[in-house]
């Protein structure tokens, strides 16, 4: 959405295992503004050039012996405007009312991508797959919340395929959330498992 930014800065949290001063190619790590005002401006890079970007910005990581690829490290997603929890609730129930419902789903946790492979789901990560068949990890902690204040747990739900362009349709954002996770250490999901991968940190808001 307009006003949103996404930044990856490997030196933002020096004590985090995903932090580094130089990437695997020996390039000094740089803070990169990937999205400004809701528009993708650049991408994370190693030394392999691409159209419009001639050089690295210090984000090459990977397994020893493999070609290092650009990887996220310490990423922050920030909205242009935040709503208080009370106002976010009000906006959520207003949107639900337009569908004739007096309830909303509140999803507070997803299955960790690195352990999803244990149940035969493969090693995908957020918006994995190809551009036409993107997926989110299954929701793990879900509440059906009613306008009168009642709530009840819900289990067994899965997301349908999610296209990246739906990010433009985020209605509102709330408080920031912090999470640590693993991403694949290779150019495919083969380098991702319960105890393997590259450590990362994500800071992102609650969204409606």
């Amino acid at each position: 959405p307009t006003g949103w930014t996404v930044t990856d800065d490997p030196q933002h949290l020096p004590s985090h295992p995903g932090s580094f001063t130089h990437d695997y190619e020996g390039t000094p790590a740089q803070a990169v503004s990937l999205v400004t005002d809701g528009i993708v401006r650049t991408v994370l890079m190693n030394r392999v050039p691409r159209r419009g970007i001639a050089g690295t910005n210090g984000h090459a990581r990977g397994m020893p012996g493999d070609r290092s690829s650009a990887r996220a490290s310490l990423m922050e997603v920030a909205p242009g405007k935040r709503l208080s929890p009370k106002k976010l609730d009000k906006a959520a129930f207003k949107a639900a009312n337009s569908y004739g419902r007096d309830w909303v789903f509140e999803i507070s946790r997803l299955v960790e991508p690195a352990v999803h492979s244990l149940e035969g789901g493969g090693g995908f990560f957020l918006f994995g797959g190809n551009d036409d068949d993107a997926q989110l990890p299954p929701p793990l902690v879900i509440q059906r919340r009613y306008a009168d204040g009642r709530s009840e747990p819900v289990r067994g739900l899965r997301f349908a395929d999610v296209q990246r362009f739906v990010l433009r349709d985020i209605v509102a954002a709330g408080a920031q959330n912090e999470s640590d996770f693993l991403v694949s250490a290779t150019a495919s999901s083969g380098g991702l498992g319960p105890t393997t991968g590259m450590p990362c940190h994500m800071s992102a808001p609650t969204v409606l």
Side-chain angles (χ1 to χ4, degrees):
T2 302
W4 284 54
T5 62
V6 179
T7 304
D8 192 282
D9 183 0
Q11 300 186 67
H12 174 58
L13 300 171
S15 62
H16 192 276
S19 177
F20 53 90
T21 59
H22 292 73
D23 70 7
Y24 283 33
E25 294 174 331
T27 305
Q30 302 174 30
V32 180
S33 295
L34 301 164
V35 174
T36 304
D37 199 23
I39 298 174
V40 177
R41 308 290 182 175
T42 190
V43 295
L44 302 178
M45 290 288 294
N46 59 2
R47 290 183 181 179
V48 179
R50 58 173 290 163
R51 180 179 296 180
I53 307 177
T56 178
N57 50 33
H59 278 77
R61 293 202 288 171
M63 295 293 290
D66 293 340
R67 190 186 77 179
S68 296
S69 300
R71 289 283 180 275
S73 55
L74 309 178
M75 186 171 288
E76 180 181 26
V77 180
K81 179 182 179 181
R82 299 182 193 275
L83 297 183
S84 67
K86 185 176 180 179
K87 289 183 177 180
L88 192 64
D89 271 359
K90 184 177 180 180
F93 286 112
K94 181 179 179 180
N97 186 61
S98 67
Y99 289 93
R101 296 173 177 170
D102 66 343
W103 55 268
V104 296
F105 282 132
E106 180 183 85
I107 300 172
S108 56
R109 186 175 180 182
L110 306 180
V111 173
E112 293 289 337
V115 298
H116 184 57
S117 58
L118 294 177
E119 62 178 41
F124 64 58
F125 46 93
L126 293 180
F127 293 111
N130 58 52
D131 289 341
D132 297 321
D133 187 27
Q135 295 180 336
L136 288 170
L140 184 62
V141 180
I142 316 162
Q143 294 283 333
R144 188 198 302 266
R145 295 179 52 225
Y146 293 88
D148 62 8
R150 292 180 296 124
S151 65
E152 57 188 26
V154 180
R155 297 179 177 83
L157 297 187
R158 292 292 186 272
F159 291 109
D161 290 347
V162 178
Q163 300 300 312
R164 290 171 174 83
F165 65 77
V166 303
L167 292 170
R168 299 178 303 184
D169 299 328
I170 292 175
V171 175
Q176 205 77 355
N177 299 279
E178 309 287 330
S179 180
D180 300 301
F181 60 100
L182 298 173
V183 297
S184 177
T186 67
S188 69
S189 60
L192 184 64
T195 59
T196 60
M198 309 299 297
C200 291
H201 178 82
M202 173 69 76
S203 174
T206 300
V207 295
L208 170 62

